[in-house]
């Protein structure tokens, strides 16, 4: 069955990473994957969260995620008085964990890097785009710290990117857009390093539990997309990494 | 004394209005005034706020205002659990009142137009830019309602724009940037219609109370800027108004 | 057209300031303007707000505003879980700014004066009455600090009072009561020092934008009322100022 | 040992009830017991709380309690974001229960009477003064409903008043002021009807558990005060009850 | 009239105290009174609440109370965003006061003992069961502190227990179950020390105000139950007290 | 390397499921896996959440998760004013999704089954134990609905259980206890149906990203444990399924 937007089943949406999009931030980019557009910024703060101090550890990376009200087709109310929604909490925890997996924290010393991912336009896959873009913002901020002599070397142990795969009808598809995500039987987000190792696999059977063969085919499909995303990150970070 | 960015005292910052910036919204624009950049969207909702129903009146226009965390030089935390700050509340009420002054509300029937102003970059004058840009988003959304036959005619009775003026040292200046706003003795926001009538005047002596002559000179200065802003709005709304 | 309560267009409501109304407070008064009655107290606290310390500055004056539930004809629920309303936030910020404009802050040293304005009865103009009454409470508290040798001299650089003016139908009126406020086309609050200089002008076209001539006539009208209010403040503060 | 303010151990503080103190309310009074001053208002609302509807019952009486920030010697912050304090919750539940004990609820039909007790000055015994004063406000509001033909007859089955008794050192004292309340070994609030029956007894050993003889003597002492309070309520309600 | 569950009017429900029920806690028990089952734990924290430090006093005991959602017949929602309900606040304050009446606080030094009472099953009398069980958890935690040499001696000056009594129809009954509690005309909770002195008496006329004779009979009835509860506490605390 | 508690690497902790543990609930069990003990209840509510009605769909299953304060070695504060923590939100969403994967929702008609999982003791793996136990509570509640004739047949399409697997040092281990969970390099929760199909796979590299071979071995290990858990569920549900 042809895809909603004419793509092949193993094809990413047109993707573009614009580094330095938010000039006030220490690191930033705009990542566009089809109609999904996310602003990622990295802010350096010269302090650690209390729990990190308690553990006697140095360095921290954490993330926040938000959506502009009209990033969606029907207006999404701002989060507020009741705190971030369950979905938002899950996403920001995932972004933070994914980035920390490639950061040698102690190199950052008494510093936290706070990532903000703000969705300008949402068409499925915002959490994966946010991870992929955040790595670019993070790397830019780290380079700035090195250049200023604030830290002694780049704290990155590798690159990290993420992509969604899923099952719609009986088709296994790469990089689901909203329409596909909405109707899929299985939804999986794969976060991987550029060495091909998994940082996080979150597979959910929205309707139909899946077997191991399907799992393996979906992981293969994800890898196809992830390798292209690493290339784009490298291009965006030329002279930085 | 020359201005911080080399402008003349009666000169606006380079200003640009890009209509249709957020394709999901019924109306939208990006307004840039120097380094101040605000995304304005207009969302049409087919219901009225409860108080409006209670009054037995039709139509409503209201506004929300937010800042991306890295719109500022030092990261501004997201507003949340404690609700919008006092500053945010003041600004969104001002935007709402300013727009309502040029809307014939009953033409909107059982509809609310909800304006969202989200600051991408903040360098002074965000509330004025938000008003000027919101008018463009509002007009675009109204035209869409007319084109769809949802309302019988454009509900706008005029145009509205806003600009800041202030006193820095002994200089009276138009369109203050952050550095000027920060040091000014008097700060005034002037919201005006294209017929040259005031919708809102908010003059505050941050340090030195001011006399009537100064008030009049500042109002003259505002008018210089406002006339240019009306021209840009008209250009952005060609075929819409 | 005769006014709702028979007053002339340039006539204040019967006004009375009773100093020392709340004996527990360092400074206090009850201000009555017609049926509008506000209790103003000044509390001295031996500490500064965090942001003030960060700026390395001494002294601060701030304000809170509340209404007893039956200050209004229909019961107004207590503010609470959701924080103060937008209206309350605007009013308390205005009161604080207005008072700070006549206080030489450093004279207060490591102290904050916290003004509480609690409305016993509301019949329009509560924010203006609150400003006028708060100045009396503030001055009484300052005198007490001087008498106790806590500060070296009175920190006041002048007096401050406030009054509303507005346009009802085609009449320009001084000191609007609720009924007038409710129907007015233009509503303006004027905060002025006893030297005739403006601290704050907030003019809002509730329905009809206004031109400059009207603005000037309204400012003249406000001045008539403000001069009477300064006299009453002086009388209430005999031996204090 | 003589009392803090020279009273005998079985003597009330000078007490005064001023009915109609808040003209906007359906019923109101100011009750003064020495330096304790409480404004009590009764508001009639033409609806029932949801739980009451669920039970299929008619009529309800409930209460809220607040303190002006400078009712106390050291400023008490306004209650807000975190909701009413534990102390406030206990007091408003006690006031509501006490009043409901003398109201034949169904006579009120689909109506709630909401009592507001706002403390102008606090010098001990505010909850008892609030109960005694609230009965006056409640009765006035009920009479108004009868006069308007809204209800068929007065719903009151008796009068209710409250007083505190306590043990300071070895002295058993009536109507404790703040200084006494602060140092007492036993603190008891007695809420009684004018027929001499108990509505609520809340006896707390703040430091020294007490035996039954002490309990009985304290109840006798309370009765002395309560009989005087009933007289004052009757005087304040002449022509109403 | 025979009781709902066949008991005599002066008979406790089958009661059982299982010490050490929560092995992670410093002190704990499960108390079962008929179908009412409450888990009580005592946690030792090496710090004092801020107000206690301010007063310059050592030692503190405080309590929290919660219900599992299905402790009740109809599910009770978890308390949360709006803070504990009025009922919960009243109960946890009562538990804390009751325990503090038998603790010589300074013996605890810079420590707080925090009691948690979590209701597994609720069938009336949960607050009384919580007090009786909490004393056991508290004593166990204190003994542990003595055994570890953290404090020099047991800080307990006596035992404390609580029981409810009430009037259903014309019967005076001991230890009300939910069905009885629900229909009672008078409801009284009596908190007493093992020396027979009152720590707290809370008598409420839910419908019918009561006279002194009834009060005295109810206190006698409570004593019958309390003496049995002290015996069970002593048995559960063998080797501890 | 031998495990912390002497188990083999592919050995579950001693596990026990006690059905009917909370007699007030429509379905319930206590599940014990070593020192991890979770109470699971199922409550039937005769209404649907608003979003479900909006979608025009019937039936819903959702879950809440809580911990008793002393379920942990160091007391965990109750969640409250700030809403459930990020961890809690993630867990309750996971439990809900897992159960819904084996429920044919429309069979429930206008009903929601609300699962409560309350942790009595926490020693790692509480979310997995909660899923396994919740299925038992859910099945019991469904049977009750069938027996009462409220629904026409059992809505369950299979069984669901969950277990954790992880990598500690270089060992791949089944059913991690807290000490193991705390030090693991990879942590994976596997939710599976009794047909051997995955409902949810959540694999997280806490420190070391993992490759596909490790993933496959971990999934094999999980299956060993899950098959035993299905047996215990079946035993606990004899006569019910």
């Amino acid at each position: 069955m042809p895809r909603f937007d004419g793509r092949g089943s193993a094809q990413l949406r047109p993707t573009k990473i614009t580094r330095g999009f938010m000039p006030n931030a220490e690191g930033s980019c705009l990542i566009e994957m089809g109609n999904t557009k996310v602003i990622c910024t990295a802010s350096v703060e010269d302090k650690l969260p209390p729990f990190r101090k308690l553990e006697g550890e140095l360095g921290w990376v954490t993330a926040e995620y938000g959506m502009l009200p009209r990033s969606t087709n029907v207006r999404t109310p701002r989060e507020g008085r009741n705190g971030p929604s369950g979905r938002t909490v899950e996403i920001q925890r995932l972004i933070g964990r994914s980035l920390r997996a490639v950061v040698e924290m102690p190199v950052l010393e008494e510093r936290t890097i706070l990532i903000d991912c703000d969705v300008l336009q949402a068409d499925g896959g915002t959490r994966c785009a946010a991870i992929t873009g955040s790595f670019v913002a993070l790397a830019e901020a780290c380079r700035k710290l090195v250049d200023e002599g604030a830290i002694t070397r780049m704290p990155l142990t590798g690159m990290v990117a993420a992509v969604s795969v899923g099952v719609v009808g009986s088709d296994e598809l790469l990089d689901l857009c909203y329409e596909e995500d909405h109707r899929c039987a299985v939804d999986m987000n794969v976060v991987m390093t550029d060495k091909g190792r998994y940082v996080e696999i979150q597979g959910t059977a929205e309707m139909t539990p899946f077997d191991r063969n399907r799992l393996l085919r979906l992981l293969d499909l994800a890898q196809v997309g992830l390798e292209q995303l690493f290339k784009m990150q490298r291009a965006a970070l030329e002279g930085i990494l």
Side-chain angles (χ1 to χ4, degrees), chain A residues 79-211:
Chain A
E79 298 191 315
R81 287 275 158 76
N82 296 321
S85 71
R87 177 183 172 275
T88 295
V89 166
E90 271 192 26
I91 293 176
Q92 41 199 28
R93 284 163 64 92
L94 173 62
I95 300 170
R97 276 200 313 269
S98 298
L99 296 175
R100 287 193 295 272
V102 293
V103 176
E104 210 178 318
M105 236 81 90
V107 178
L108 292 173
E109 297 171 28
E110 288 260 336
R111 282 184 197 82
T112 297
I113 300 189
L114 176 38
I115 301 295
D116 285 290
C117 300
D118 285 275
V119 178
L120 271 187
Q121 246 177 280
D123 186 29
T126 61
R127 81 187 69 190
C128 289
I131 290 169
T132 305
S134 292
F135 176 76
V136 172
L138 173 67
E140 190 183 23
C142 290
R143 175 55 63 199
K144 207 177 158 215
L145 285 172
V146 172
D147 288 351
E148 289 168 349
I151 60 177
T152 56
R153 56 184 173 85
M154 285 295 275
L156 304 176
T157 61
M159 296 171 72
V160 69
V163 82
S164 73
V165 286
V167 180
V168 179
S170 59
D171 298 333
E172 290 156 3
L173 303 177
L174 175 66
D175 186 21
L176 309 184
C177 68
Y178 178 79
E179 268 303 309
E180 293 167 339
D181 191 47
H182 196 65
R183 312 190 206 145
C184 70
V186 176
D187 176 22
M188 187 172 306
N189 294 302
V190 181
V191 186
M192 209 175 72
T193 68
D194 57 334
K195 277 96 191 172
R197 299 174 80 93
Y198 301 114
V199 170
E200 186 108 13
I201 296 173
Q202 292 194 337
T204 301
E206 300 285 347
M207 292 171 284
T208 333
F210 54 98
D211 64 17

Side-chain angles (χ1 to χ4, degrees), chain A residues 222-238:
Chain A
Q223 196 136 349
V224 171
L226 287 161
E227 267 152 32
Q228 297 172 55
L229 291 171
F230 290 125
K231 265 188 216 147
M232 294 184 217
Q233 287 179 325
R234 262 182 228 110
L237 287 167
E238 221 195 310

Side-chain angles (χ1 to χ4, degrees), chain A residues 68-78:
Chain A
L68 288 205
R70 283 318 289 270
S71 60
T72 46
N73 213 358
V74 171
R75 185 178 183 272
T76 302
R78 290 166 201 277

